[in-house]
């Protein structure tokens, strides 16, 4: 599995690198940021792109 972004979510190269490293290493990824910066949207798009359910 490799995350490349989706049609509705354009990820930066650094973010794609971090997400793919977490997937490869099978480790959690802590995403920090101010409200409204897209943290939840990233989780939703990851779940959608990998065909899994997002647990909130």
């Amino acid at each position: 599995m490799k995350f490349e972004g989706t049609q509705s979510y354009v990820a930066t190269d650094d973010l794609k690198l971090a997400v793919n490293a977490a997937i490869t290493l099978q480790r959690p990824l802590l995403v920090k940021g101010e409200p409204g910066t897209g943290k939840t949207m990233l989780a939703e798009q990851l779940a959608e792109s990998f065909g899994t359910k997002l647990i909130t």
Side-chain angles (χ1 to χ4, degrees):
M1 284 190 232
K2 188 172 181 184
F3 182 68
E4 291 292 331
T6 64
Q7 289 184 350
S8 59
Y9 189 89
V10 179
T12 65
D13 289 338
D14 289 340
L15 182 57
K16 289 188 275 189
L17 179 66
V19 168
N20 289 321
I23 292 168
T24 300
L25 297 172
Q26 298 181 356
R27 302 294 298 169
L29 176 65
L30 175 64
V31 181
K32 295 172 34 176
E34 296 294 321
T37 57
K39 299 176 299 290
T40 301
M41 184 179 279
L42 171 62
E44 292 168 347
Q45 294 302 312
L46 281 168
E48 182 181 315
S49 67
F50 293 125
T52 60
K53 181 180 175 185
L54 177 63
I55 300 171
T56 56

